[in-house]
mmCIF file of all heavy atoms in Angstrom:
data_model
loop_
_atom_site.group_PDB
_atom_site.id
_atom_site.type_symbol
_atom_site.label_atom_id
_atom_site.label_comp_id
_atom_site.label_asym_id
_atom_site.label_seq_id
_atom_site.Cartn_x
_atom_site.Cartn_y
_atom_site.Cartn_z
ATOM 1 N N ASN A 1 9.425 0.731 24.958
ATOM 2 C CA ASN A 1 8.636 -0.068 24.016
ATOM 3 C C ASN A 1 9.435 -0.265 22.733
ATOM 4 O O ASN A 1 10.057 0.670 22.229
ATOM 5 C CB ASN A 1 7.313 0.631 23.692
ATOM 6 C CG ASN A 1 6.376 0.663 24.883
ATOM 7 O OD1 ASN A 1 6.029 -0.375 25.435
ATOM 8 N ND2 ASN A 1 5.973 1.854 25.301
ATOM 9 N N GLU A 2 9.415 -1.487 22.232
ATOM 10 C CA GLU A 2 10.162 -1.803 21.021
ATOM 11 C C GLU A 2 9.204 -2.038 19.859
ATOM 12 O O GLU A 2 8.178 -2.707 20.002
ATOM 13 C CB GLU A 2 11.037 -3.038 21.247
ATOM 14 C CG GLU A 2 11.970 -3.340 20.092
ATOM 15 C CD GLU A 2 12.978 -4.425 20.433
ATOM 16 O OE1 GLU A 2 13.888 -4.160 21.242
ATOM 17 O OE2 GLU A 2 12.841 -5.542 19.894
ATOM 18 N N HIS A 3 9.557 -1.477 18.714
ATOM 19 C CA HIS A 3 8.718 -1.580 17.514
ATOM 20 C C HIS A 3 9.571 -2.027 16.328
ATOM 21 O O HIS A 3 10.781 -1.845 16.321
ATOM 22 C CB HIS A 3 8.061 -0.231 17.192
ATOM 23 C CG HIS A 3 7.293 0.372 18.324
ATOM 24 N ND1 HIS A 3 5.969 0.094 18.571
ATOM 25 C CD2 HIS A 3 7.684 1.238 19.303
ATOM 26 C CE1 HIS A 3 5.566 0.763 19.637
ATOM 27 N NE2 HIS A 3 6.591 1.467 20.101
ATOM 28 N N GLN A 4 8.916 -2.618 15.344
ATOM 29 C CA GLN A 4 9.578 -2.993 14.104
ATOM 30 C C GLN A 4 9.156 -2.003 13.013
ATOM 31 O O GLN A 4 7.969 -1.761 12.806
ATOM 32 C CB GLN A 4 9.199 -4.413 13.691
ATOM 33 C CG GLN A 4 9.758 -5.501 14.590
ATOM 34 C CD GLN A 4 11.252 -5.666 14.450
ATOM 35 O OE1 GLN A 4 11.821 -5.331 13.419
ATOM 36 N NE2 GLN A 4 11.889 -6.170 15.496
ATOM 37 N N PHE A 5 10.145 -1.431 12.357
ATOM 38 C CA PHE A 5 9.875 -0.487 11.270
ATOM 39 C C PHE A 5 10.492 -1.034 9.988
ATOM 40 O O PHE A 5 11.682 -1.339 9.946
ATOM 41 C CB PHE A 5 10.479 0.882 11.588
ATOM 42 C CG PHE A 5 10.425 1.852 10.431
ATOM 43 C CD1 PHE A 5 9.243 2.486 10.089
ATOM 44 C CD2 PHE A 5 11.568 2.120 9.688
ATOM 45 C CE1 PHE A 5 9.194 3.368 9.021
ATOM 46 C CE2 PHE A 5 11.525 2.999 8.616
ATOM 47 C CZ PHE A 5 10.337 3.625 8.281
ATOM 48 N N HIS A 6 9.680 -1.182 8.960
ATOM 49 C CA HIS A 6 10.197 -1.695 7.695
ATOM 50 C C HIS A 6 10.717 -0.535 6.849
ATOM 51 O O HIS A 6 9.977 0.372 6.488
ATOM 52 C CB HIS A 6 9.122 -2.454 6.914
ATOM 53 C CG HIS A 6 9.644 -3.026 5.627
ATOM 54 N ND1 HIS A 6 10.462 -4.128 5.591
ATOM 55 C CD2 HIS A 6 9.476 -2.617 4.335
ATOM 56 C CE1 HIS A 6 10.778 -4.395 4.331
ATOM 57 N NE2 HIS A 6 10.188 -3.491 3.559
ATOM 58 N N SER A 7 12.005 -0.587 6.561
ATOM 59 C CA SER A 7 12.629 0.454 5.744
ATOM 60 C C SER A 7 12.593 0.040 4.279
ATOM 61 O O SER A 7 13.145 -0.996 3.907
ATOM 62 C CB SER A 7 14.081 0.677 6.191
ATOM 63 O OG SER A 7 14.745 1.516 5.273
ATOM 64 N N VAL A 8 11.940 0.848 3.487
ATOM 65 C CA VAL A 8 11.875 0.573 2.047
ATOM 66 C C VAL A 8 13.249 0.738 1.415
ATOM 67 O O VAL A 8 13.662 -0.054 0.559
ATOM 68 C CB VAL A 8 10.848 1.507 1.371
ATOM 69 C CG1 VAL A 8 10.842 1.294 -0.140
ATOM 70 C CG2 VAL A 8 9.462 1.285 1.950
ATOM 71 N N ASN A 9 13.983 1.760 1.843
ATOM 72 C CA ASN A 9 15.300 2.020 1.266
ATOM 73 C C ASN A 9 16.298 0.911 1.595
ATOM 74 O O ASN A 9 17.090 0.499 0.760
ATOM 75 C CB ASN A 9 15.846 3.357 1.763
ATOM 76 C CG ASN A 9 15.032 4.533 1.232
ATOM 77 O OD1 ASN A 9 14.444 4.446 0.165
ATOM 78 N ND2 ASN A 9 14.996 5.625 1.980
ATOM 79 N N LEU A 10 16.263 0.428 2.850
ATOM 80 C CA LEU A 10 17.196 -0.621 3.260
ATOM 81 C C LEU A 10 16.679 -2.017 2.939
ATOM 82 O O LEU A 10 17.416 -2.990 3.014
ATOM 83 C CB LEU A 10 17.469 -0.522 4.762
ATOM 84 C CG LEU A 10 18.143 0.764 5.239
ATOM 85 C CD1 LEU A 10 18.275 0.755 6.764
ATOM 86 C CD2 LEU A 10 19.517 0.920 4.605
ATOM 87 N N GLU A 11 15.379 -2.106 2.619
ATOM 88 C CA GLU A 11 14.734 -3.377 2.310
ATOM 89 C C GLU A 11 14.869 -4.372 3.465
ATOM 90 O O GLU A 11 15.166 -5.550 3.269
ATOM 91 C CB GLU A 11 15.307 -3.984 1.016
ATOM 92 C CG GLU A 11 15.097 -3.105 -0.212
ATOM 93 C CD GLU A 11 15.643 -3.736 -1.479
ATOM 94 O OE1 GLU A 11 16.399 -4.725 -1.354
ATOM 95 O OE2 GLU A 11 15.314 -3.258 -2.581
ATOM 96 N N LYS A 12 14.661 -3.881 4.672
ATOM 97 C CA LYS A 12 14.744 -4.735 5.846
ATOM 98 C C LYS A 12 14.020 -4.066 7.008
ATOM 99 O O LYS A 12 13.740 -2.870 6.962
ATOM 100 C CB LYS A 12 16.200 -5.001 6.233
ATOM 101 C CG LYS A 12 16.962 -3.743 6.585
ATOM 102 C CD LYS A 12 18.467 -3.975 6.698
ATOM 103 C CE LYS A 12 18.837 -4.890 7.819
ATOM 104 N NZ LYS A 12 20.310 -4.948 8.021
ATOM 105 N N ASP A 13 13.730 -4.863 8.028
ATOM 106 C CA ASP A 13 13.117 -4.322 9.240
ATOM 107 C C ASP A 13 14.192 -3.765 10.162
ATOM 108 O O ASP A 13 15.293 -4.313 10.255
ATOM 109 C CB ASP A 13 12.322 -5.409 9.970
ATOM 110 C CG ASP A 13 11.068 -5.807 9.215
ATOM 111 O OD1 ASP A 13 10.610 -5.005 8.380
ATOM 112 O OD2 ASP A 13 10.571 -6.926 9.452
ATOM 113 N N ARG A 14 13.862 -2.694 10.854
ATOM 114 C CA ARG A 14 14.766 -2.107 11.835
ATOM 115 C C ARG A 14 14.045 -1.995 13.173
ATOM 116 O O ARG A 14 12.835 -1.772 13.229
ATOM 117 C CB ARG A 14 15.220 -0.703 11.391
ATOM 118 C CG ARG A 14 15.982 -0.678 10.081
ATOM 119 C CD ARG A 14 17.298 -1.424 10.194
ATOM 120 N NE ARG A 14 18.203 -0.783 11.121
ATOM 121 C CZ ARG A 14 19.095 0.157 10.762
ATOM 122 N NH1 ARG A 14 19.170 0.562 9.503
ATOM 123 N NH2 ARG A 14 19.900 0.692 11.668
ATOM 124 N N ARG A 15 14.811 -2.170 14.254
ATOM 125 C CA ARG A 15 14.240 -2.011 15.584
ATOM 126 C C ARG A 15 14.210 -0.528 15.954
ATOM 127 O O ARG A 15 15.164 0.192 15.750
ATOM 128 C CB ARG A 15 15.065 -2.752 16.624
ATOM 129 C CG ARG A 15 15.035 -4.254 16.512
ATOM 130 C CD ARG A 15 15.808 -4.853 17.663
ATOM 131 N NE ARG A 15 15.916 -6.301 17.553
ATOM 132 C CZ ARG A 15 16.500 -7.058 18.459
ATOM 133 N NH1 ARG A 15 17.030 -6.515 19.547
ATOM 134 N NH2 ARG A 15 16.577 -8.361 18.303
ATOM 135 N N ILE A 16 13.097 -0.115 16.509
ATOM 136 C CA ILE A 16 12.983 1.237 17.055
ATOM 137 C C ILE A 16 12.518 1.101 18.497
ATOM 138 O O ILE A 16 11.517 0.447 18.775
ATOM 139 C CB ILE A 16 11.983 2.097 16.257
ATOM 140 C CG1 ILE A 16 12.502 2.316 14.833
ATOM 141 C CG2 ILE A 16 11.755 3.439 16.949
ATOM 142 C CD1 ILE A 16 11.576 3.151 13.981
ATOM 143 N N ARG A 17 13.265 1.706 19.414
ATOM 144 C CA ARG A 17 12.921 1.643 20.825
ATOM 145 C C ARG A 17 12.563 3.038 21.322
ATOM 146 O O ARG A 17 13.328 3.985 21.119
ATOM 147 C CB ARG A 17 14.085 1.045 21.631
ATOM 148 C CG ARG A 17 14.272 -0.436 21.360
ATOM 149 C CD ARG A 17 15.556 -0.970 21.913
ATOM 150 N NE ARG A 17 16.720 -0.482 21.185
ATOM 151 C CZ ARG A 17 17.153 -0.974 20.032
ATOM 152 N NH1 ARG A 17 16.503 -1.974 19.463
ATOM 153 N NH2 ARG A 17 18.206 -0.482 19.445
ATOM 154 N N ILE A 18 11.420 3.139 21.947
ATOM 155 C CA ILE A 18 10.919 4.422 22.439
ATOM 156 C C ILE A 18 10.794 4.359 23.955
ATOM 157 O O ILE A 18 10.101 3.494 24.500
ATOM 158 C CB ILE A 18 9.557 4.767 21.805
ATOM 159 C CG1 ILE A 18 9.691 4.852 20.279
ATOM 160 C CG2 ILE A 18 9.021 6.074 22.376
ATOM 161 C CD1 ILE A 18 8.401 5.095 19.560
ATOM 162 N N TYR A 19 11.480 5.282 24.620
ATOM 163 C CA TYR A 19 11.398 5.374 26.075
ATOM 164 C C TYR A 19 10.428 6.492 26.440
ATOM 165 O O TYR A 19 10.562 7.617 25.958
ATOM 166 C CB TYR A 19 12.777 5.672 26.675
ATOM 167 C CG TYR A 19 12.734 5.981 28.158
ATOM 168 C CD1 TYR A 19 12.727 4.957 29.092
ATOM 169 C CD2 TYR A 19 12.669 7.295 28.613
ATOM 170 C CE1 TYR A 19 12.668 5.228 30.447
ATOM 171 C CE2 TYR A 19 12.612 7.587 29.969
ATOM 172 C CZ TYR A 19 12.612 6.550 30.880
ATOM 173 O OH TYR A 19 12.552 6.826 32.220
ATOM 174 N N THR A 20 9.465 6.156 27.269
ATOM 175 C CA THR A 20 8.548 7.177 27.789
ATOM 176 C C THR A 20 8.735 7.277 29.295
ATOM 177 O O THR A 20 8.896 6.259 29.976
ATOM 178 C CB THR A 20 7.080 6.825 27.457
ATOM 179 O OG1 THR A 20 6.794 5.492 27.909
ATOM 180 C CG2 THR A 20 6.841 6.904 25.960
ATOM 181 N N PRO A 21 8.734 8.478 29.857
ATOM 182 C CA PRO A 21 9.018 8.666 31.282
ATOM 183 C C PRO A 21 7.901 8.148 32.177
ATOM 184 O O PRO A 21 6.781 7.859 31.728
ATOM 185 C CB PRO A 21 9.174 10.180 31.408
ATOM 186 C CG PRO A 21 8.359 10.727 30.285
ATOM 187 C CD PRO A 21 8.501 9.754 29.157
ATOM 188 N N HIS A 22 8.201 8.047 33.448
ATOM 189 C CA HIS A 22 7.233 7.588 34.442
ATOM 190 C C HIS A 22 6.000 8.502 34.421
ATOM 191 O O HIS A 22 6.103 9.724 34.399
ATOM 192 C CB HIS A 22 7.865 7.614 35.834
ATOM 193 C CG HIS A 22 6.910 7.247 36.924
ATOM 194 N ND1 HIS A 22 6.497 5.952 37.132
ATOM 195 C CD2 HIS A 22 6.286 8.011 37.864
ATOM 196 C CE1 HIS A 22 5.670 5.920 38.150
ATOM 197 N NE2 HIS A 22 5.518 7.145 38.608
ATOM 198 N N GLY A 23 4.835 7.887 34.382
ATOM 199 C CA GLY A 23 3.604 8.661 34.382
ATOM 200 C C GLY A 23 3.196 9.193 33.030
ATOM 201 O O GLY A 23 2.230 9.968 32.927
ATOM 202 N N TYR A 24 3.876 8.781 31.968
ATOM 203 C CA TYR A 24 3.552 9.285 30.620
ATOM 204 C C TYR A 24 2.149 8.856 30.209
ATOM 205 O O TYR A 24 1.734 7.721 30.415
ATOM 206 C CB TYR A 24 4.568 8.750 29.617
ATOM 207 C CG TYR A 24 4.202 9.027 28.178
ATOM 208 C CD1 TYR A 24 4.494 10.252 27.596
ATOM 209 C CD2 TYR A 24 3.558 8.059 27.410
ATOM 210 C CE1 TYR A 24 4.146 10.510 26.276
ATOM 211 C CE2 TYR A 24 3.224 8.298 26.095
ATOM 212 C CZ TYR A 24 3.517 9.527 25.530
ATOM 213 O OH TYR A 24 3.172 9.783 24.220
ATOM 214 N N LYS A 25 1.426 9.773 29.601
ATOM 215 C CA LYS A 25 0.096 9.480 29.073
ATOM 216 C C LYS A 25 -0.076 10.160 27.725
ATOM 217 O O LYS A 25 0.303 11.311 27.547
ATOM 218 C CB LYS A 25 -0.992 9.974 30.027
ATOM 219 C CG LYS A 25 -1.034 9.236 31.360
ATOM 220 C CD LYS A 25 -2.159 9.775 32.229
ATOM 221 C CE LYS A 25 -2.212 9.047 33.568
ATOM 222 N NZ LYS A 25 -3.299 9.584 34.428
ATOM 223 N N LYS A 26 -0.630 9.399 26.784
ATOM 224 C CA LYS A 26 -0.935 10.011 25.491
ATOM 225 C C LYS A 26 -1.985 11.094 25.676
ATOM 226 O O LYS A 26 -2.893 10.964 26.496
ATOM 227 C CB LYS A 26 -1.468 8.953 24.516
ATOM 228 C CG LYS A 26 -0.394 8.069 23.912
ATOM 229 C CD LYS A 26 -0.997 7.159 22.864
ATOM 230 C CE LYS A 26 0.062 6.331 22.189
ATOM 231 N NZ LYS A 26 -0.494 5.469 21.123
ATOM 232 N N GLY A 27 -1.853 12.147 24.910
ATOM 233 C CA GLY A 27 -2.838 13.209 24.989
ATOM 234 C C GLY A 27 -2.607 14.142 26.159
ATOM 235 O O GLY A 27 -3.374 15.082 26.374
ATOM 236 N N ASN A 28 -1.563 13.867 26.948
ATOM 237 C CA ASN A 28 -1.239 14.758 28.052
ATOM 238 C C ASN A 28 -0.446 15.947 27.514
ATOM 239 O O ASN A 28 -0.366 16.159 26.311
ATOM 240 C CB ASN A 28 -0.440 13.974 29.100
ATOM 241 C CG ASN A 28 -0.542 14.594 30.476
ATOM 242 O OD1 ASN A 28 -0.991 15.720 30.608
ATOM 243 N ND2 ASN A 28 -0.120 13.861 31.486
ATOM 244 N N ARG A 29 0.158 16.696 28.381
ATOM 245 C CA ARG A 29 0.938 17.858 27.964
ATOM 246 C C ARG A 29 2.056 17.431 27.011
ATOM 247 O O ARG A 29 2.495 16.280 27.016
ATOM 248 C CB ARG A 29 1.545 18.525 29.188
ATOM 249 C CG ARG A 29 2.473 17.601 29.983
ATOM 250 C CD ARG A 29 3.057 18.302 31.178
ATOM 251 N NE ARG A 29 3.850 17.392 31.997
ATOM 252 C CZ ARG A 29 5.078 17.028 31.729
ATOM 253 N NH1 ARG A 29 5.683 17.494 30.635
ATOM 254 N NH2 ARG A 29 5.747 16.208 32.524
ATOM 255 N N PRO A 30 2.580 18.336 26.187
ATOM 256 C CA PRO A 30 3.689 17.996 25.280
ATOM 257 C C PRO A 30 4.938 17.583 26.058
ATOM 258 O O PRO A 30 5.212 18.125 27.114
ATOM 259 C CB PRO A 30 3.923 19.292 24.492
ATOM 260 C CG PRO A 30 2.647 20.039 24.617
ATOM 261 C CD PRO A 30 2.099 19.702 25.986
ATOM 262 N N TYR A 31 5.668 16.626 25.505
ATOM 263 C CA TYR A 31 6.913 16.177 26.113
ATOM 264 C C TYR A 31 8.076 16.542 25.215
ATOM 265 O O TYR A 31 7.970 16.484 23.986
ATOM 266 C CB TYR A 31 6.900 14.653 26.318
ATOM 267 C CG TYR A 31 5.979 14.174 27.412
ATOM 268 C CD1 TYR A 31 4.623 13.992 27.168
ATOM 269 C CD2 TYR A 31 6.449 13.904 28.698
ATOM 270 C CE1 TYR A 31 3.764 13.536 28.168
ATOM 271 C CE2 TYR A 31 5.607 13.452 29.695
ATOM 272 C CZ TYR A 31 4.272 13.278 29.423
ATOM 273 O OH TYR A 31 3.437 12.841 30.417
ATOM 274 N N LYS A 32 9.198 16.878 25.829
ATOM 275 C CA LYS A 32 10.417 17.050 25.046
ATOM 276 C C LYS A 32 10.904 15.674 24.627
ATOM 277 O O LYS A 32 10.601 14.678 25.250
ATOM 278 C CB LYS A 32 11.488 17.748 25.883
ATOM 279 C CG LYS A 32 11.121 19.179 26.297
ATOM 280 C CD LYS A 32 12.210 19.799 27.122
ATOM 281 C CE LYS A 32 11.814 21.218 27.527
ATOM 282 N NZ LYS A 32 12.866 21.872 28.371
ATOM 283 N N TYR A 33 11.676 15.630 23.527
ATOM 284 C CA TYR A 33 12.146 14.325 23.079
ATOM 285 C C TYR A 33 13.573 14.421 22.549
ATOM 286 O O TYR A 33 14.041 15.479 22.151
ATOM 287 C CB TYR A 33 11.209 13.753 22.001
ATOM 288 C CG TYR A 33 11.233 14.467 20.680
ATOM 289 C CD1 TYR A 33 12.055 14.024 19.635
ATOM 290 C CD2 TYR A 33 10.447 15.586 20.448
ATOM 291 C CE1 TYR A 33 12.082 14.684 18.427
ATOM 292 C CE2 TYR A 33 10.462 16.251 19.237
ATOM 293 C CZ TYR A 33 11.280 15.794 18.230
ATOM 294 O OH TYR A 33 11.307 16.447 17.029
ATOM 295 N N LEU A 34 14.238 13.276 22.561
ATOM 296 C CA LEU A 34 15.613 13.159 22.097
ATOM 297 C C LEU A 34 15.688 11.965 21.160
ATOM 298 O O LEU A 34 15.222 10.878 21.487
ATOM 299 C CB LEU A 34 16.561 12.954 23.275
ATOM 300 C CG LEU A 34 18.032 12.675 22.946
ATOM 301 C CD1 LEU A 34 18.682 13.907 22.332
ATOM 302 C CD2 LEU A 34 18.770 12.272 24.217
ATOM 303 N N VAL A 35 16.266 12.160 19.982
ATOM 304 C CA VAL A 35 16.419 11.076 19.015
ATOM 305 C C VAL A 35 17.868 10.629 18.967
ATOM 306 O O VAL A 35 18.761 11.471 18.802
ATOM 307 C CB VAL A 35 15.969 11.531 17.605
ATOM 308 C CG1 VAL A 35 16.171 10.393 16.609
ATOM 309 C CG2 VAL A 35 14.515 11.974 17.622
ATOM 310 N N LEU A 36 18.091 9.326 19.159
ATOM 311 C CA LEU A 36 19.444 8.767 19.084
ATOM 312 C C LEU A 36 19.508 7.785 17.929
ATOM 313 O O LEU A 36 18.666 6.906 17.838
ATOM 314 C CB LEU A 36 19.790 8.045 20.397
ATOM 315 C CG LEU A 36 19.718 8.888 21.671
ATOM 316 C CD1 LEU A 36 19.995 8.027 22.905
ATOM 317 C CD2 LEU A 36 20.708 10.037 21.605
#
């Protein structure tokens, strides 16, 4: 999923892409995560 995040410091929008694994559900068990 791709999102737009407005950075106040950079004064511009930045793309943020979040990958969720197969079968992911909000409110389910905790997931490990990696930030790149």
Side-chain angles (χ1 to χ4, degrees):
N1 291 303
E2 187 171 289
H3 306 272
Q4 291 289 335
F5 171 76
H6 182 74
S7 171
V8 176
N9 293 332
L10 297 177
E11 299 181 347
K12 61 191 295 188
D13 290 339
R14 299 295 295 270
R15 292 184 185 183
I16 295 180
R17 290 168 290 280
I18 300 176
Y19 172 84
T20 53
H22 176 74
Y24 171 83
K25 293 181 180 179
K26 282 186 176 182
N28 203 347
R29 60 180 175 80
Y31 288 83
K32 296 180 180 179
Y33 69 95
L34 174 68
V35 179
L36 302 176

